[in-house]
Amino acid sequence: MINPASRLNSIELSLIRKMFEVTNPNAINLGIGEPDFNVPENIKEAMKRSIDENDTHYTPNKGYLDLREEITKKFKKENGITTTPEDVIVTVGASEGLYMCTQAFVDKGDEVLLPNPSFLSYEACVNLAGGTPVSVDCKMENEFKLKAEDVQEKITDKTKAIILNSPSNPTGAVMDKEDIKAIADLSIDKNFLIISDEIYEKIIYGKKNYSPAKYSDNVITLNGFSKTYAMTGLRIGYLATTNEDYTEQLLKIHQYNIACANTTAQRGAYEALTGPQDEVKKMVCEFQKRRDLIVSRLNDMGYETVNAEGAFYVFPKIEDENFVQDAAKAGVITVPGVAFGSNGENHVRMSYANSYENIEKAMDILEGMINNG
Ligand SMILES: Cc1ncc(COP(=O)(O)O)c(C=O)c1O
C-alpha cells in the first residue's frame, strides 16, 4: 500500500456523486447540475465536420486563435471586459480554470474567501493548493447574495483571493452590481485576486450579470460552454485576464497539465459563440417557467424558498434533517444544503434541470410525503 500525498488528507470525494451511487434509478432526479437539453444541432454539425476534416491534432496551448478572438469579442460586447486573444486560455471546462487559478496563485497559508454556501470544488481546490478557505456568509435574509460589507469584514493581511460565483450554485442568487463593484474596488485597495466564476451568466431571469473584471485588473474571469450550450460532457471552458503576467503564470499550470483543450470541442465552442443563439433563449425561457413552478410549489408546502434569479437551483429552507433521505425513498433525489458549506444546514438544493412534468410529479410526491407525516 502506497500512502497518498499528504495534500489529499483534507480532501473528500463529492457528497453529491456519492448520493447518486446509492439511490433508486426510478426516482426523479432534482440533484442534477447540468441542463437536461441536448447540444444544439449547429454545434453538433460543427464538431462532426471537425472530425471529418481530421482536425484532431494539438492546438496552440491557449486554444485555437479564432476561438480566442471570438471569446475576446464576447467579453468586450457582453461583459465590458477589455482583454486580448493572448490573455484568453481555452480550458477543459471552468473546472480546469478554477484549478489553474488556485494552483497558480494560492500558496500555503494564503487565505481565500469563499461564499458560504458555494460550489464544492472551490474549497477542495483551495485546500489542494495548500491555502486556507475563509467563509463569507451568504444570508437567506439577503436572498443568499454575497454582500461587499460581509467580504470586507473577512479581509486580513493574509487574504490572497476571493472566489465569486454569480449566478450561484447552489442558491441561484445573482449578486447586485454595487457589491460586484465594491468588491472589485477592494481587490485594488487591498491587493487580492478575484476569481470570478461566471459559468451561469446566461441562465438569468430578468437581471443582468456584472463582471468584476470591468472594474479591476486583479480579476480572472472563468466561463464555459457546459451550462449555456448544454455541453457538459464536452469539457470546454475558458478564462481571461487583463494582465499578461497573470496569463503567463496560469499557462504554466495549463501547459504542463493538459497541453490544450480538445480540438472537436473547441470547434463546437467556436460555433456556439458565432452561430444562432435561439436555443439558448428557449432553454432559459423553459428554465424560468420551471423556476416559477418549483418556487411556488415549495412555498405552498411551507418550505420558505427564495425566488432565485439565476442558474437552475433553488435552496429552500427545510429543517427536517431526514428530508433528503425520506424524499429519496419516496422517489425524489435532492442534495443536502450542508454539502455546500455550513450555511447550507437546514437547506436542501433542488435543481430544476428536469422536465416541467417531472418537477410537477416530484412536487406532488413531496407534498404527499409531508401530508402523510
Ligand atoms: C459554479 C460552477 N462552476 C463551475 C462548474 C464546472 O463547470 P465545467 O463543466 O465548465 O467544468 C460548475 C458545474 O457544476 C459549477 O456549478
Side-chain angles (χ1 to χ4, degrees), residues 33 92-95 119 122 165 169 197 199-200 226-227 235 313:
V92 181
S95 301
F119 179 47
Y122 299 157
N165 176 220
N169 174 9
D197 178 351
I199 189 99
Y200 293 101
S226 286
K227 315 288 174 174
R235 311 304 308 122
Y313 308 104

Side-chain angles (χ1 to χ4, degrees), residues 42 48 57 96 108 289-290 312 362:
N42 61 314
K48 286 182 208 164
H57 300 273
E96 195 221 348
K108 198 165 171 15
K289 278 193 220 146
R290 299 174 188 178
F312 38 67

Side-chain angles (χ1 to χ4, degrees), residues 55 59-60 62-74 85 88 90 263 266-267 269-271 273-274:
D55 203 354
T59 77
K62 290 178 183 173
Y64 278 126
L65 179 60
D66 58 357
L67 174 57
R68 285 183 284 126
E69 283 169 348
E70 286 308 320
I71 293 170
T72 306
K73 284 188 218 159
K74 178 244 176 270
V88 167
V90 180
T263 47
Q266 288 195 54
R267 288 307 187 204
Y270 181 86
E271 175 62 26
L273 286 181
T274 55

Side-chain angles (χ1 to χ4, degrees), residues 61 96 249-260:
N61 290 129
E96 195 221 348
Q249 302 312 319
L250 291 164
L251 192 59
K252 291 179 190 170
I253 309 296
H254 177 74
Q255 187 169 77
Y256 294 119
N257 186 17
I258 63 125
C260 66

